[in-house]
Amino acid sequence: MTRLQATITAEEFLLQADKSDRIPDAALTSRHSLDVSQITTKGKVMGVSTATARNLFTCLSFFLLLVSSTVPLRPVFAQDQKPVVAQNHKPAVGYEEKRRQANDIAVTVVVSGISCTCARFTEDIRNVVNDLGPDGVRVLPVLGVGGLQNVNDVLFLKNMDMAVVDEDNLRLLKKKDPVLYANVEQRVQYITKLYNSEFHVLARNEIKSYDDLKGKKVNFNLKDSQTEVTADTVFNALNIPVQRSYYDNDEALNKLMSGEISAMIILTGAPQATLAKVKKEDGLHFLPLDQESLPKHDLHDLFANYLPAEITHEYYPNLVDEGTTVPTIANRALLVAYTWPENSPRYKRVAKFVDAFFSKIDQFNNPSRHPKWREVNLSAEMPGWVRFKPAAEWLAAHRNQAVSANPDSTLGQPSPELRAAFEKFMQNYASSSGRKTLSTKEREMLFARFMKILADSKAEQAAAR
């Protein structure tokens, strides 16, 4: 029924009554009604009084007009707003299910600090490995203190799966408390060696050697950090007493430039962000740590427990002259895991991470990643440590697969392990033969010759195949 039809029908109905009384104008004010102000009626309609009928019909007219104005709109509305088909609507994931999914893919990694190489490495791992799908892996870095505390965090803090620690930590913990840490190697095991952390000692120009630091103010980084742990070992071995402070790197650098302290120590993978900001005119330099620079000290114990290393111009062009290096020692940084019970959810979670990380090792050979990735070889063995079972099983199953971020490193820049083996051989040779230790330049020439022989041998083997 259209709007006009409804109005006419109501009008015709009213015209059947007598025209004796006036219908009030207010009763017909709707803009949809016809003007029937002159219509009157007498008597009764269908047994109802004239006044009552008049009011009833007026209301009915208004109602019909109102209904008629809305009815034509309904089909149009229905066409524009089609109901959602039930079978195509997937119910949203419930809170508890979403909570379970979020926890099922997350693994934690404790690192030393936001500016350390370990934090940058963990960020690289996160960027490559992260998959936030229901069956993926999510890496959550956790800022810790570093050093022995990172091992303690994995051992004793709830929900800590992994950490970046240094190779000497097990030995130092067992020495510190032989009972508490008696079987620590069974509870914390290494996944892989990551990079080498060089021992940086940055001093004012008037300080020429470690011996000049005797009685001076030297910053050992934060208390219980890996720098503090290793620096304590080094200065005790050298028997050089100093006034120790424990500022963070940025504060220590400011105090070093102002002359409040004479030197600051950082154990980290080069290049270190804070040290890379130093300018040539700041009057600072690195102190060398080798037998040639410290002829009055016995360094055999240090080199037995740490790697010979170098700080290069490539990493610090404002602090190391081009064509020269600064000899020092290094510690291996390891990615370790807490050994959750096998087949437990957390054990499976870390195992899934290992598979995802190891399977994508080639993606870290990228200029956007930290340059230290070229030192990583997943198969490198760590004496005194036990390999985490899922990592050992992955390596056994992928013997023919590349396990280094830079597989050709042995033909270009030598691996740190190869350099360390050469330096240790030279130390042992000098000690057993009674001959004088070779100078840095002589060692470099001999090592270059050794690398040439190794490269030629590899080329011959490749040609034979």
Side-chain angles (χ1 to χ4, degrees):
M1 180 184 296
T2 67
R3 223 176 292 177
L4 181 60
Q5 289 173 332
T7 305
I8 293 173
T9 301
E11 181 187 10
E12 291 174 346
F13 199 105
L14 287 170
L15 287 176
Q16 296 178 14
D18 280 338
K19 303 174 182 178
S20 59
D21 296 330
R22 180 182 177 88
I23 300 175
D25 291 343
L28 298 173
T29 55
S30 171
R31 62 187 177 89
H32 299 291
S33 302
L34 295 178
D35 186 5
V36 290
S37 59
Q38 302 302 319
I39 299 175
T40 59
T41 184
K42 290 183 179 179
K44 298 182 180 179
V45 178
M46 298 179 64
V48 182
S49 67
T50 301
T52 303
R54 183 180 68 246
N55 294 335
L56 177 62
F57 294 148
T58 301
C59 293
L60 179 61
S61 175
F62 180 79
F63 175 75
L64 290 175
L65 290 173
L66 181 64
V67 171
S68 67
S69 68
T70 60
V71 168
L73 299 177
R74 288 178 183 169
V76 178
F77 181 82
Q79 291 174 2
D80 293 341
Q81 302 290 333
K82 294 182 179 179
V84 178
V85 180
Q87 57 266 30
N88 292 336
H89 179 69
K90 295 182 180 179
V93 177
Y95 173 82
E96 290 299 328
E97 176 62 17
K98 188 67 177 177
R99 187 170 181 268
R100 183 194 65 78
Q101 290 179 3
N103 283 275
D104 278 355
I105 66 171
V107 292
T108 54
V109 184
V110 183
V111 299
S112 299
I114 197 168
S115 65
C116 75
T117 304
C118 56
R120 174 64 191 279
F121 255 63
T122 307
E123 181 183 11
D124 283 346
I125 293 173
R126 182 199 66 187
N127 292 340
V128 171
V129 171
N130 263 16
D131 175 4
L132 301 186
D135 297 318
V137 175
R138 184 185 181 190
V139 179
L140 296 175
V142 178
L143 289 183
V145 175
L148 303 181
Q149 188 58 49
N150 280 9
V151 182
N152 283 325
D153 287 346
V154 173
L155 273 172
F156 303 120
L157 278 183
K158 290 183 178 180
N159 301 324
M160 292 297 109
D161 298 306
M162 295 176 284
V164 179
V165 305
D166 277 46
E167 181 188 10
D168 64 355
N169 287 178
L170 293 192
R171 173 173 53 83
L172 296 175
L173 284 173
K174 287 189 173 186
K175 182 179 179 180
K176 182 178 180 180
D177 192 331
V179 177
L180 181 61
Y181 299 104
N183 64 338
V184 64
E185 67 275 2
Q186 298 303 323
R187 291 181 286 164
V188 178
Q189 299 177 348
Y190 82 103
I191 293 173
T192 185
K193 178 253 180 181
L194 292 177
Y195 56 87
N196 292 335
S197 297
E198 288 84 8
F199 191 71
H200 300 70
V201 179
L202 187 66
R204 297 179 63 81
N205 281 344
E206 63 265 23
I207 304 295
K208 304 301 181 183
S209 74
Y210 281 73
D211 287 325
D212 294 338
L213 291 174
K214 186 174 182 179
K216 299 288 197 304
K217 293 180 180 179
V218 179
N219 191 67
F220 277 49
N221 201 264
L222 299 178
K223 189 68 177 173
D224 295 326
S225 66
Q226 186 60 50
T227 294
E228 195 267 342
V229 170
T230 304
D232 179 72
T233 302
V234 171
F235 277 80
N236 286 340
L238 296 176
N239 193 26
I240 298 176
V242 297
Q243 299 180 49
R244 303 184 182 191
S245 61
Y246 301 97
Y247 303 113
D248 64 68
N249 292 332
D250 290 324
E251 188 174 4
L253 183 59
N254 288 335
K255 292 183 179 295
L256 181 61
M257 289 182 175
S258 68
E260 292 183 56
I261 61 176
S262 297
M264 63 180 290
I265 306 170
I266 304 179
L267 179 77
T268 189
Q272 206 281 339
T274 301
L275 302 182
K277 297 184 294 186
V278 178
K279 303 179 180 64
K280 290 183 178 180
E281 58 269 23
D282 289 332
L284 306 176
H285 70 129
F286 290 118
L287 295 182
L289 177 56
D290 65 349
Q291 198 66 66
E292 186 177 350
S293 305
L294 298 166
K296 298 179 181 179
H297 297 272
D298 184 358
L299 303 182
H300 286 90
D301 287 344
L302 282 180
F303 282 102
N305 294 315
Y306 298 99
L307 301 172
E310 294 175 337
I311 302 173
T312 66
H313 170 79
E314 176 189 7
Y315 290 146
Y316 304 105
N318 293 332
L319 289 168
V320 181
D321 292 335
E322 189 172 3
T324 67
T325 61
V326 179
T328 186
I329 60 173
N331 212 352
R332 295 181 180 95
L334 313 179
L335 179 63
V336 304
Y338 183 76
T339 53
W340 300 101
E342 287 193 36
N343 297 320
S344 67
R346 297 197 76 94
Y347 180 92
K348 292 179 180 178
R349 210 172 297 161
V350 179
K352 182 189 289 187
F353 161 80
V354 170
D355 180 70
F357 173 35
F358 281 18
S359 298
K360 297 179 179 180
I361 189 62
D362 61 310
Q363 296 186 28
F364 295 94
N365 185 23
N366 186 308
S368 65
R369 308 300 173 201
H370 195 283
K372 281 279 186 178
W373 278 105
R374 66 190 180 194
E375 296 179 4
V376 176
N377 189 309
L378 300 178
S379 61
E381 298 290 336
M382 294 297 107
W385 287 79
V386 177
R387 176 89 72 171
F388 185 53
K389 185 177 178 182
E393 290 177 343
W394 191 96
L395 290 169
H398 298 81
R399 293 187 183 278
N400 297 325
Q401 184 171 327
V403 292
S404 172
N406 186 16
D408 298 326
S409 61
T410 55
L411 295 179
Q413 294 189 356
S415 69
E417 280 67 30
L418 192 59
R419 163 73 73 172
F422 175 80
E423 293 289 348
K424 188 164 290 189
F425 167 77
M426 294 304 301
Q427 289 279 348
N428 293 336
Y429 174 75
S431 177
S432 61
S433 64
R435 294 190 177 185
K436 181 182 177 181
T437 304
L438 297 178
S439 67
T440 301
K441 184 176 181 180
E442 290 171 330
R443 289 202 312 273
E444 287 301 314
M445 292 177 60
L446 189 59
F447 184 68
R449 189 178 303 173
F450 166 72
M451 289 300 299
K452 178 67 168 57
I453 294 172
L454 180 63
D456 290 345
S457 175
K458 284 181 176 288
E460 290 176 2
Q461 292 176 7
R465 287 196 295 268

